[in-house]
Amino acid sequence: MDLKTFVPFSPCSRWLLLVALVGSEASSDLNESADSPAQHAPKAWFAASSSVPDERISVFELDYDYVQIPYEVTLWILLASLAKIGFHLCRRLPGLMPESCLLILVGALVGGIIFGTDHKSPPVMDSSIYFLYLLPPIVLESGYFMPTRPFLENIGSILWWAGLGALVNALGIGLSLYLVCRVGAFGLGDLSLLETLLFGSLLSAVDPAAVLAVFEEARVNEQLYMIIFGEALLNDGISVVLYNILIAFTKMHKFEDIEPVDILAGCARFIIVGCGGVFFGVIFGFISAFITRFTQNISAIEPLIVFMFSYLSYLAAETLYLSGILAITACAVTMKKYVEENVSQTSYTTIKYFMKMLSSVSETLIFIFMGVSTIGKNHEWNWAFICFTLVFCQIWRAISVFALFYVSNQFRTFPFSIKDQCIIFYSGVRGAGSFSLAFLLPLSLFPRKKLFVTATLVVIYFTAFIQGITIGPLVRYLDVRKTNKKESINEELHIRLMDHLKAGIEDVCGHWSHYQVRDKFKKFDHRYLRKILIRKNQPKSSIVSLYKKLEMKQAIEMVETGILSSTAFSISNQAQRIQGIKRLSPEDVESMRDILTRNMYQVRQRTPSYNKYNLKPQTSEKQAKEILIRRQNTLRESMRKGHSLPWAKPAGTKNIRYLSVPYSNLQLPERDTRAPESSDDHGSGSEFPPITFSAPSRTGMLQERRRTQETIPMRNLPRGGTALHFGHHEGNGSHEELAGRGRRAAVRPRPLFHAVDEEYESGEEVEGAASAAGARWTAEQGHNRGHHESQSPLLQRK
Amino acid sequence: MRPRSAPRGARGTELSPRRDPPRTQAPAAAAQPGAGRRGQRPWPARTMGAAHSASEEVRELEGKTGFSSEQIEQLHRRFKQLSGDQPTIRNLRKGPSGLADEIDFEDFLTIMSYFRPIDTTLGEEQVELSRKEKLRFLFHMYDSDSDGRITLEEYRNVVEELLSGNPHIEKESARSIADGAMMEAASVCVGQMEPDQVYEGITFEDFLKIWQGIDIETKMHVRFLNMETIALCH
């Protein structure tokens, strides 16, 4: 019996093993082919063994049906992920075609396999699954990663274009197709106006994620980027609302005629559904922001709160027949700002990645369903209908772009140029949304659903492949206005100043426009919202966090490049004696290392960069590195120069500002007082080599020791205070980090460690150490305040 | 609705370097003495009546500042409102020295004209010119002692004021930010510094360098309306 049990299953187990081993595209192939025998085999076995009493426990059993759906879905996602890996391994490919094309191809492959093996694919996609589980993550993701500021700056045009554009497209395509259907020769006479309108509305949902990726790469100007982004964000919501209303009309039409009153009611409903959705979203956004205020002790559930509340906003809106999509978008946008400040760095990272992951899973699944339903027998091909659909899609997009932007340009200070409009026209790529809506049409109401699905698929394939692939070259060819926004402190400062300036000027002129509104909102935000929604001890303004970010990045770079680590342990004993000795406890080292490895890379991101499929590596990393290296060089150079500078300068001569390492001769007494203090603090004793601030320069090894001594004074300068402080901080760091930073502290006046500390204090839960640092910092300040005027490190008197 | 394109030839010379621009918080109260000012001629209020379009002065101002006559009229109305029907606005706040005591309408208009959106339909040169002018204005916002350099101290002051709205941020972080920004500016402008080199402050050229690529055209402008909107906000 045992033998008997085993024999029929050996092929299956072998297959399973193979599936697990091969794991790539071949895997699903095997799996599919494995399926059919796998399903039949048990039956055959049961039939064969029915004569034998069957009560014994079988040693090996297989129940594929039980796991079929999750099993296949997992394989699909895995397959798509592997395909993505392959896609990005191949260097030329990503530049050539958008990622959605790849997904579609993978979907078609899976569909082909399923069709070829005659395997019955699990009926996974239906209306409730799509709307309840697949759609929300996609929308949430694009809402959450929306760059708020440029979005709000262009909000008028975005609303105008996304809202009216979708309407014009839907109505235009619907009406003109209806007219075509009236021509008897095409055999489309049975399509009613409502049906074509519905078809138009589902085709009006564009999915320009691929276009955004191209824009990102080509660095097109911000307003063009934001228009497309806004369209991607709002378009889904609007066309789904339209779709639902039209479905409701169709249902009603089955039983009674539609009267003008109903149409009016439909329009009113359209507005209420939209606005109500947004309202719900904002409320839920505030609630979740408020709740994250109290999660500092259980930060593990912070991501959960974010996700659950967004989802709740979606569900709550849907319960009331409001637009869940707009609700979840508004919720994400509202809460993002506050949540980001409240949650810990780890949670923030989790939220980001989890969101990306969920949405990419959803999208992959939709594309695979699309592939599965592409290849199959459920198509109805009608040349006229399909060709006209394609043509009308393009024509109406062109009409709506040029007409709507003609109008909105009258109100814009910086109009969209003709080139911009061409790009917008060309970016009308249809995607997963259109397909899902078409796929979900109820067959009972739409007898010619197959035709719709086929036409939608053709439009999607056409736009995704032809337009998606050619838009990159087109953008480059048309040479649209570019921006090269970089992330720098200076820019951030200037823009801040400009905000104030513009608000002030508008005030003077007595105008009332969006700078004023923004200013007012900021005041309101500071005075009330932030007080309520944000944790008390996190007084951060975005400029500070930006700065911290750059700082952190540099710190990592320093460690990463490894230039400095080699010198870490060679710090001379002499230097050790001179300086306050810093030791660190192993636990501190551990926690610090943890923080570094896990958090530092994902410092809060404020760039408007957006990629549907991936979280970009920090865009400004290169630049930061550059700055870092330059700075390092600069300061090393100026260190050397320091020897030639007179130590004591006559006061009263003309002010000359140096941006170089501070030198001072006033440090001695203070150093004496401080040295014991710092050793007290860290006197825990450890095996680690003591770290000092000395700067073992790589350039002049001979001078090293001498220079080390000379740079000590830094510590006692106002800025130098930071250096000491920083050293304390380092106390928790890994050796490499220590070395890197320690050296850096000496190499250049780094005034900003204070800021960095703040970050640790608040976000990284190094409370004990950090607060000690803070205390010391203030003490230091007290010490140094006296010298501040004349001894500012960067501002020296000659 | 968009401000119409206006002759800009005159602006270049008229609005060249301004000393002592308004500080961040008090653009209203501050003004610029000297450079572009033509004596103490008060703006003739009565010419702003029905026959304004024929008025020579309006036309002159149009040429100088690039505003349309509707906008000028609109701004004049506002000016009168602010000054209480006086020919000049007095600086009520006794700030640090260097701020003007009073400004007349022409000064007022000149300041406002820095915030006109750049007309990108004009030639490359014109755009570049007005871009530079805007930046110069901005530069002087930082350069409070008008020595042609934004020194660290000046930068710090600006940053401190910018951050003063948030009571949680200590002065130290503001200073640190300014220091960092200065470092960054140095690295952008000078690149690798020679051993004997010191970075004394951001000169206007450096300032331009920093702003390179950031399109100020879309950032530094206010929409000047032709219509009356004061009624809406008061």
Side-chain angles (χ1 to χ4, degrees), chain A residues 750-777:
Chain A
R750 300 290 306 173
L752 286 150
F753 299 127
H754 187 51
V756 175
D757 281 333
E758 235 176 52
E759 177 84 12
Y760 284 110
E761 214 165 343
S762 49
E764 262 66 292
E765 295 124 24
V766 202
E767 275 104 20
S771 58
R776 243 143 53 77
W777 166 254

PDB file of all heavy atoms in Angstrom, chain A residues 750-777:
ATOM      1  N   ARG A 750      32.677  71.415  11.575  1.00  0.00           N
ATOM      2  CA  ARG A 750      31.385  70.861  11.222  1.00  0.00           C
ATOM      3  C   ARG A 750      30.401  71.362  12.236  1.00  0.00           C
ATOM      4  O   ARG A 750      30.274  70.801  13.300  1.00  0.00           O
ATOM      5  CB  ARG A 750      31.442  69.350  11.287  1.00  0.00           C
ATOM      6  CG  ARG A 750      32.465  68.823  10.350  1.00  0.00           C
ATOM      7  CD  ARG A 750      32.034  68.997   8.956  1.00  0.00           C
ATOM      8  NE  ARG A 750      30.719  68.384   8.812  1.00  0.00           N
ATOM      9  CZ  ARG A 750      30.021  68.498   7.730  1.00  0.00           C
ATOM     10  NH1 ARG A 750      30.460  69.206   6.735  1.00  0.00           N
ATOM     11  NH2 ARG A 750      28.866  67.918   7.651  1.00  0.00           N
ATOM     12  N   PRO A 751      29.753  72.394  11.919  1.00  0.00           N
ATOM     13  CA  PRO A 751      28.915  73.002  12.913  1.00  0.00           C
ATOM     14  C   PRO A 751      27.643  72.219  13.138  1.00  0.00           C
ATOM     15  O   PRO A 751      26.938  72.465  14.085  1.00  0.00           O
ATOM     16  CB  PRO A 751      28.612  74.364  12.328  1.00  0.00           C
ATOM     17  CG  PRO A 751      28.846  74.217  10.877  1.00  0.00           C
ATOM     18  CD  PRO A 751      29.743  73.071  10.646  1.00  0.00           C
ATOM     19  N   LEU A 752      27.370  71.279  12.306  1.00  0.00           N
ATOM     20  CA  LEU A 752      25.999  70.805  12.280  1.00  0.00           C
ATOM     21  C   LEU A 752      25.738  69.559  13.043  1.00  0.00           C
ATOM     22  O   LEU A 752      24.676  68.979  12.951  1.00  0.00           O
ATOM     23  CB  LEU A 752      25.617  70.610  10.863  1.00  0.00           C
ATOM     24  CG  LEU A 752      25.463  72.038  10.455  1.00  0.00           C
ATOM     25  CD1 LEU A 752      25.777  72.202   9.043  1.00  0.00           C
ATOM     26  CD2 LEU A 752      24.099  72.499  10.816  1.00  0.00           C
ATOM     27  N   PHE A 753      26.674  69.146  13.779  1.00  0.00           N
ATOM     28  CA  PHE A 753      26.404  67.887  14.435  1.00  0.00           C
ATOM     29  C   PHE A 753      25.307  68.028  15.441  1.00  0.00           C
ATOM     30  O   PHE A 753      24.668  67.080  15.809  1.00  0.00           O
ATOM     31  CB  PHE A 753      27.675  67.375  15.078  1.00  0.00           C
ATOM     32  CG  PHE A 753      28.664  67.166  14.017  1.00  0.00           C
ATOM     33  CD1 PHE A 753      29.910  67.720  14.062  1.00  0.00           C
ATOM     34  CD2 PHE A 753      28.287  66.468  12.887  1.00  0.00           C
ATOM     35  CE1 PHE A 753      30.774  67.544  13.034  1.00  0.00           C
ATOM     36  CE2 PHE A 753      29.168  66.297  11.857  1.00  0.00           C
ATOM     37  CZ  PHE A 753      30.412  66.832  11.931  1.00  0.00           C
ATOM     38  N   HIS A 754      25.142  69.217  15.837  1.00  0.00           N
ATOM     39  CA  HIS A 754      24.035  69.429  16.745  1.00  0.00           C
ATOM     40  C   HIS A 754      22.744  68.950  16.117  1.00  0.00           C
ATOM     41  O   HIS A 754      21.973  68.221  16.696  1.00  0.00           O
ATOM     42  CB  HIS A 754      23.948  70.896  17.071  1.00  0.00           C
ATOM     43  CG  HIS A 754      22.943  71.168  18.118  1.00  0.00           C
ATOM     44  ND1 HIS A 754      22.945  70.478  19.308  1.00  0.00           N
ATOM     45  CD2 HIS A 754      21.912  72.019  18.151  1.00  0.00           C
ATOM     46  CE1 HIS A 754      21.944  70.919  20.036  1.00  0.00           C
ATOM     47  NE2 HIS A 754      21.302  71.843  19.370  1.00  0.00           N
ATOM     48  N   ALA A 755      22.605  69.360  14.914  1.00  0.00           N
ATOM     49  CA  ALA A 755      21.395  68.952  14.202  1.00  0.00           C
ATOM     50  C   ALA A 755      21.327  67.446  14.076  1.00  0.00           C
ATOM     51  O   ALA A 755      20.293  66.844  14.263  1.00  0.00           O
ATOM     52  CB  ALA A 755      21.376  69.585  12.826  1.00  0.00           C
ATOM     53  N   VAL A 756      22.417  66.876  13.778  1.00  0.00           N
ATOM     54  CA  VAL A 756      22.410  65.431  13.625  1.00  0.00           C
ATOM     55  C   VAL A 756      21.985  64.778  14.923  1.00  0.00           C
ATOM     56  O   VAL A 756      21.205  63.853  14.950  1.00  0.00           O
ATOM     57  CB  VAL A 756      23.803  64.941  13.220  1.00  0.00           C
ATOM     58  CG1 VAL A 756      23.831  63.435  13.175  1.00  0.00           C
ATOM     59  CG2 VAL A 756      24.146  65.503  11.872  1.00  0.00           C
ATOM     60  N   ASP A 757      22.480  65.333  15.985  1.00  0.00           N
ATOM     61  CA  ASP A 757      22.125  64.756  17.264  1.00  0.00           C
ATOM     62  C   ASP A 757      20.642  64.795  17.504  1.00  0.00           C
ATOM     63  O   ASP A 757      20.058  63.866  18.025  1.00  0.00           O
ATOM     64  CB  ASP A 757      22.818  65.526  18.368  1.00  0.00           C
ATOM     65  CG  ASP A 757      24.250  65.077  18.452  1.00  0.00           C
ATOM     66  OD1 ASP A 757      24.502  63.927  18.071  1.00  0.00           O
ATOM     67  OD2 ASP A 757      25.086  65.860  18.866  1.00  0.00           O
ATOM     68  N   GLU A 758      20.081  65.848  17.139  1.00  0.00           N
ATOM     69  CA  GLU A 758      18.647  65.989  17.333  1.00  0.00           C
ATOM     70  C   GLU A 758      17.936  64.815  16.707  1.00  0.00           C
ATOM     71  O   GLU A 758      17.029  64.243  17.273  1.00  0.00           O
ATOM     72  CB  GLU A 758      18.188  67.249  16.638  1.00  0.00           C
ATOM     73  CG  GLU A 758      17.460  68.186  17.541  1.00  0.00           C
ATOM     74  CD  GLU A 758      17.151  69.435  16.776  1.00  0.00           C
ATOM     75  OE1 GLU A 758      16.592  69.339  15.687  1.00  0.00           O
ATOM     76  OE2 GLU A 758      17.493  70.476  17.299  1.00  0.00           O
ATOM     77  N   GLU A 759      18.414  64.495  15.569  1.00  0.00           N
ATOM     78  CA  GLU A 759      17.793  63.396  14.851  1.00  0.00           C
ATOM     79  C   GLU A 759      17.883  62.124  15.679  1.00  0.00           C
ATOM     80  O   GLU A 759      16.936  61.389  15.833  1.00  0.00           O
ATOM     81  CB  GLU A 759      18.519  63.221  13.521  1.00  0.00           C
ATOM     82  CG  GLU A 759      18.021  62.072  12.698  1.00  0.00           C
ATOM     83  CD  GLU A 759      16.813  62.478  11.892  1.00  0.00           C
ATOM     84  OE1 GLU A 759      16.546  63.685  11.828  1.00  0.00           O
ATOM     85  OE2 GLU A 759      16.146  61.593  11.356  1.00  0.00           O
ATOM     86  N   TYR A 760      19.056  61.915  16.223  1.00  0.00           N
ATOM     87  CA  TYR A 760      19.196  60.698  17.000  1.00  0.00           C
ATOM     88  C   TYR A 760      18.281  60.747  18.207  1.00  0.00           C
ATOM     89  O   TYR A 760      17.617  59.804  18.541  1.00  0.00           O
ATOM     90  CB  TYR A 760      20.630  60.553  17.482  1.00  0.00           C
ATOM     91  CG  TYR A 760      21.511  60.109  16.378  1.00  0.00           C
ATOM     92  CD1 TYR A 760      22.449  60.953  15.834  1.00  0.00           C
ATOM     93  CD2 TYR A 760      21.362  58.831  15.842  1.00  0.00           C
ATOM     94  CE1 TYR A 760      23.233  60.542  14.800  1.00  0.00           C
ATOM     95  CE2 TYR A 760      22.151  58.419  14.812  1.00  0.00           C
ATOM     96  CZ  TYR A 760      23.085  59.271  14.291  1.00  0.00           C
ATOM     97  OH  TYR A 760      23.860  58.862  13.265  1.00  0.00           O
ATOM     98  N   GLU A 761      18.285  61.862  18.800  1.00  0.00           N
ATOM     99  CA  GLU A 761      17.530  62.013  20.023  1.00  0.00           C
ATOM    100  C   GLU A 761      16.078  61.656  19.796  1.00  0.00           C
ATOM    101  O   GLU A 761      15.483  60.884  20.512  1.00  0.00           O
ATOM    102  CB  GLU A 761      17.609  63.480  20.447  1.00  0.00           C
ATOM    103  CG  GLU A 761      17.618  63.677  21.903  1.00  0.00           C
ATOM    104  CD  GLU A 761      18.057  65.095  22.200  1.00  0.00           C
ATOM    105  OE1 GLU A 761      18.634  65.739  21.318  1.00  0.00           O
ATOM    106  OE2 GLU A 761      17.800  65.525  23.303  1.00  0.00           O
ATOM    107  N   SER A 762      15.567  62.208  18.750  1.00  0.00           N
ATOM    108  CA  SER A 762      14.137  62.050  18.561  1.00  0.00           C
ATOM    109  C   SER A 762      13.811  60.757  17.865  1.00  0.00           C
ATOM    110  O   SER A 762      12.925  60.029  18.259  1.00  0.00           O
ATOM    111  CB  SER A 762      13.632  63.212  17.740  1.00  0.00           C
ATOM    112  OG  SER A 762      14.449  63.359  16.612  1.00  0.00           O
ATOM    113  N   GLY A 763      14.530  60.493  16.834  1.00  0.00           N
ATOM    114  CA  GLY A 763      14.113  59.374  16.019  1.00  0.00           C
ATOM    115  C   GLY A 763      14.745  58.062  16.423  1.00  0.00           C
ATOM    116  O   GLY A 763      14.148  57.019  16.270  1.00  0.00           O
ATOM    117  N   GLU A 764      15.897  58.107  16.934  1.00  0.00           N
ATOM    118  CA  GLU A 764      16.623  56.853  17.000  1.00  0.00           C
ATOM    119  C   GLU A 764      16.709  56.257  18.397  1.00  0.00           C
ATOM    120  O   GLU A 764      17.360  55.264  18.617  1.00  0.00           O
ATOM    121  CB  GLU A 764      18.018  57.071  16.447  1.00  0.00           C
ATOM    122  CG  GLU A 764      18.170  56.652  15.026  1.00  0.00           C
ATOM    123  CD  GLU A 764      17.355  57.509  14.085  1.00  0.00           C
ATOM    124  OE1 GLU A 764      16.134  57.454  14.117  1.00  0.00           O
ATOM    125  OE2 GLU A 764      17.934  58.235  13.313  1.00  0.00           O
ATOM    126  N   GLU A 765      16.048  56.892  19.301  1.00  0.00           N
ATOM    127  CA  GLU A 765      15.932  56.332  20.638  1.00  0.00           C
ATOM    128  C   GLU A 765      17.262  56.039  21.300  1.00  0.00           C
ATOM    129  O   GLU A 765      17.478  54.988  21.883  1.00  0.00           O
ATOM    130  CB  GLU A 765      15.101  55.039  20.598  1.00  0.00           C
ATOM    131  CG  GLU A 765      13.690  55.293  20.185  1.00  0.00           C
ATOM    132  CD  GLU A 765      13.319  54.449  18.979  1.00  0.00           C
ATOM    133  OE1 GLU A 765      13.962  53.422  18.789  1.00  0.00           O
ATOM    134  OE2 GLU A 765      12.412  54.826  18.245  1.00  0.00           O
ATOM    135  N   VAL A 766      18.125  56.941  21.174  1.00  0.00           N
ATOM    136  CA  VAL A 766      19.367  56.812  21.919  1.00  0.00           C
ATOM    137  C   VAL A 766      19.275  57.814  23.049  1.00  0.00           C
ATOM    138  O   VAL A 766      20.168  58.600  23.276  1.00  0.00           O
ATOM    139  CB  VAL A 766      20.588  57.136  21.060  1.00  0.00           C
ATOM    140  CG1 VAL A 766      21.806  56.485  21.672  1.00  0.00           C
ATOM    141  CG2 VAL A 766      20.403  56.656  19.666  1.00  0.00           C
ATOM    142  N   GLU A 767      18.149  57.738  23.708  1.00  0.00           N
ATOM    143  CA  GLU A 767      17.802  58.877  24.553  1.00  0.00           C
ATOM    144  C   GLU A 767      18.880  59.219  25.572  1.00  0.00           C
ATOM    145  O   GLU A 767      19.300  60.351  25.706  1.00  0.00           O
ATOM    146  CB  GLU A 767      16.502  58.627  25.294  1.00  0.00           C
ATOM    147  CG  GLU A 767      15.289  58.985  24.486  1.00  0.00           C
ATOM    148  CD  GLU A 767      14.607  57.740  23.956  1.00  0.00           C
ATOM    149  OE1 GLU A 767      14.858  56.670  24.521  1.00  0.00           O
ATOM    150  OE2 GLU A 767      13.850  57.848  23.004  1.00  0.00           O
ATOM    151  N   GLY A 768      19.282  58.206  26.297  1.00  0.00           N
ATOM    152  CA  GLY A 768      20.205  58.484  27.385  1.00  0.00           C
ATOM    153  C   GLY A 768      21.417  59.246  26.898  1.00  0.00           C
ATOM    154  O   GLY A 768      21.701  60.341  27.349  1.00  0.00           O
ATOM    155  N   ALA A 769      22.038  58.654  25.952  1.00  0.00           N
ATOM    156  CA  ALA A 769      23.268  59.245  25.463  1.00  0.00           C
ATOM    157  C   ALA A 769      23.005  60.615  24.880  1.00  0.00           C
ATOM    158  O   ALA A 769      23.709  61.576  25.147  1.00  0.00           O
ATOM    159  CB  ALA A 769      23.875  58.338  24.406  1.00  0.00           C
ATOM    160  N   ALA A 770      21.947  60.681  24.107  1.00  0.00           N
ATOM    161  CA  ALA A 770      21.697  61.919  23.406  1.00  0.00           C
ATOM    162  C   ALA A 770      21.380  63.049  24.361  1.00  0.00           C
ATOM    163  O   ALA A 770      21.795  64.177  24.164  1.00  0.00           O
ATOM    164  CB  ALA A 770      20.557  61.727  22.440  1.00  0.00           C
ATOM    165  N   SER A 771      20.617  62.719  25.403  1.00  0.00           N
ATOM    166  CA  SER A 771      20.269  63.820  26.284  1.00  0.00           C
ATOM    167  C   SER A 771      21.496  64.293  27.026  1.00  0.00           C
ATOM    168  O   SER A 771      21.680  65.472  27.268  1.00  0.00           O
ATOM    169  CB  SER A 771      19.177  63.377  27.252  1.00  0.00           C
ATOM    170  OG  SER A 771      19.630  62.268  27.971  1.00  0.00           O
ATOM    171  N   ALA A 772      22.339  63.356  27.351  1.00  0.00           N
ATOM    172  CA  ALA A 772      23.589  63.757  27.972  1.00  0.00           C
ATOM    173  C   ALA A 772      24.328  64.687  27.036  1.00  0.00           C
ATOM    174  O   ALA A 772      24.842  65.733  27.425  1.00  0.00           O
ATOM    175  CB  ALA A 772      24.439  62.539  28.273  1.00  0.00           C
ATOM    176  N   ALA A 773      24.303  64.299  25.789  1.00  0.00           N
ATOM    177  CA  ALA A 773      24.973  65.122  24.804  1.00  0.00           C
ATOM    178  C   ALA A 773      24.371  66.511  24.788  1.00  0.00           C
ATOM    179  O   ALA A 773      25.068  67.510  24.761  1.00  0.00           O
ATOM    180  CB  ALA A 773      24.845  64.484  23.432  1.00  0.00           C
ATOM    181  N   GLY A 774      23.067  66.545  24.815  1.00  0.00           N
ATOM    182  CA  GLY A 774      22.385  67.827  24.778  1.00  0.00           C
ATOM    183  C   GLY A 774      22.800  68.685  25.948  1.00  0.00           C
ATOM    184  O   GLY A 774      23.122  69.858  25.800  1.00  0.00           O
ATOM    185  N   ALA A 775      22.841  68.066  27.112  1.00  0.00           N
ATOM    186  CA  ALA A 775      23.198  68.823  28.295  1.00  0.00           C
ATOM    187  C   ALA A 775      24.596  69.393  28.131  1.00  0.00           C
ATOM    188  O   ALA A 775      24.845  70.553  28.429  1.00  0.00           O
ATOM    189  CB  ALA A 775      23.148  67.913  29.513  1.00  0.00           C
ATOM    190  N   ARG A 776      25.437  68.540  27.623  1.00  0.00           N
ATOM    191  CA  ARG A 776      26.787  68.991  27.477  1.00  0.00           C
ATOM    192  C   ARG A 776      26.910  70.092  26.445  1.00  0.00           C
ATOM    193  O   ARG A 776      27.713  70.988  26.561  1.00  0.00           O
ATOM    194  CB  ARG A 776      27.686  67.839  27.107  1.00  0.00           C
ATOM    195  CG  ARG A 776      28.709  67.597  28.170  1.00  0.00           C
ATOM    196  CD  ARG A 776      28.966  66.140  28.320  1.00  0.00           C
ATOM    197  NE  ARG A 776      29.300  65.554  27.036  1.00  0.00           N
ATOM    198  CZ  ARG A 776      30.499  65.701  26.471  1.00  0.00           C
ATOM    199  NH1 ARG A 776      31.420  66.442  27.028  1.00  0.00           N
ATOM    200  NH2 ARG A 776      30.762  65.085  25.362  1.00  0.00           N
ATOM    201  N   TRP A 777      26.090  69.949  25.511  1.00  0.00           N
ATOM    202  CA  TRP A 777      26.095  70.954  24.468  1.00  0.00           C
ATOM    203  C   TRP A 777      25.812  72.327  25.052  1.00  0.00           C
ATOM    204  O   TRP A 777      26.501  73.296  24.801  1.00  0.00           O
ATOM    205  CB  TRP A 777      25.063  70.590  23.424  1.00  0.00           C
ATOM    206  CG  TRP A 777      24.761  71.704  22.501  1.00  0.00           C
ATOM    207  CD1 TRP A 777      23.660  72.459  22.480  1.00  0.00           C
ATOM    208  CD2 TRP A 777      25.601  72.204  21.469  1.00  0.00           C
ATOM    209  NE1 TRP A 777      23.733  73.389  21.502  1.00  0.00           N
ATOM    210  CE2 TRP A 777      24.942  73.256  20.859  1.00  0.00           C
ATOM    211  CE3 TRP A 777      26.872  71.856  21.011  1.00  0.00           C
ATOM    212  CZ2 TRP A 777      25.462  73.980  19.814  1.00  0.00           C
ATOM    213  CZ3 TRP A 777      27.394  72.581  19.965  1.00  0.00           C
ATOM    214  CH2 TRP A 777      26.704  73.625  19.379  1.00  0.00           C
TER     215      TRP A 777
END
